[in-house]
Amino acid sequence: AGEFENKDKDGNPYYVSARITPLLDKRQQIDYFIGIQEDISERMRLQKKLEETAITDSLTGTYNRGHFLVLCEQEIKRLHRYGSSVTLLLFDLDHFKNINDTYGHFAGDEVLKSFVSCVSAELRENDVFGRLGGEEFGAMVVETDSSSGLLLAERLRKSVENMVILVENQKITIT
């Protein structure tokens, strides 16, 4: 008995829960097997979505606060074990409430998504980036000493400052 991935006749994957039972003849020897399977693709899709929701901020697609902190803790343990360096960057968008008040929450959401896109483009795949709350974000930049971290922070600050976000024909800038 178990769950596994299968493929349909066109090669598309689907998931099944299956149980295979031997059927015995009069001498108690295996005569043949009977298998019962159930398509559980929808359940697996929902489970994957639930797992993703548990670690991801739904608006920005970054890690949520809880998962960001877990990953940071793991990285700090690794850092202590191997003696490497790390830089922690914290971001708080200036006067973000004014953007929501002036342009509306839809515009504020678009600003947050644009900010995440801008910062993510500068970070490496193994760096950890997450939304800590509201307009607050954090990045743990692994294998980076303080001078390299400072250069990265300044490069990110300038990239964000130079962004122009267009929402419903309104140009919005942030720092």
Side-chain angles (χ1 to χ4, degrees):
E3 297 176 352
F4 58 93
E5 182 178 338
N6 207 345
K7 294 191 187 258
D8 66 17
K9 64 181 177 182
D10 296 325
N12 299 314
Y14 67 97
Y15 294 90
V16 296
S17 174
R19 176 175 296 281
I20 300 171
T21 305
L23 294 177
L24 307 176
D25 62 16
K26 294 177 188 174
R27 298 176 316 218
Q28 297 300 305
Q29 299 294 316
I30 297 175
D31 197 16
Y32 51 92
F33 295 89
I34 186 167
I36 300 172
Q37 68 179 21
E38 174 187 8
D39 185 338
I40 58 168
S41 299
E42 182 63 14
R43 186 185 85 195
M44 296 297 280
R45 187 188 67 74
L46 290 172
Q47 181 177 333
K48 184 177 180 181
K49 184 172 175 71
L50 183 62
E51 289 169 359
E52 190 176 290
T53 301
I55 66 170
T56 306
D57 175 63
S58 61
L59 175 66
T60 63
T62 62
Y63 291 125
N64 62 25
R65 178 187 185 94
H67 196 64
F68 175 79
L69 294 175
V70 165
L71 292 175
C72 285
E73 187 175 317
Q74 289 173 351
E75 184 60 31
I76 289 169
K77 286 177 184 175
R78 192 187 70 74
L79 178 104
H80 286 299
R81 183 174 184 188
Y82 297 109
S84 57
S85 58
V86 66
T87 296
L88 180 64
L89 302 174
L90 298 175
F91 307 90
D92 188 343
L93 302 184
D94 296 332
H95 314 292
F96 185 73
K97 183 180 181 316
N98 291 343
I99 292 171
N100 278 334
D101 292 347
T102 303
Y103 303 103
H105 288 280
F106 173 78
D109 290 351
E110 293 303 308
V111 166
L112 292 176
K113 289 189 258 185
S114 295
F115 168 78
V116 165
S117 180
C118 177
V119 172
S120 295
E122 299 282 339
L123 296 176
R124 300 165 300 184
E125 190 175 308
N126 61 335
D127 296 329
V128 179
F129 184 46
R131 185 176 182 191
L132 303 177
E135 76 281 2
E136 299 165 344
F137 294 83
M140 181 171 259
V141 188
V142 298
E143 302 293 332
T144 305
D145 61 22
S146 59
S147 60
S148 297
L150 186 59
L151 290 172
L152 173 62
E154 182 58 21
R155 190 170 73 237
L156 288 169
R157 188 194 66 73
K158 285 181 181 176
S159 292
V160 170
E161 184 178 61
N162 291 327
M163 278 188 347
V164 176
I165 302 131
L166 188 61
V167 180
E168 297 178 352
N169 297 323
Q170 297 286 325
K171 289 182 181 179
I172 303 172
T173 58
I174 58 172
T175 55

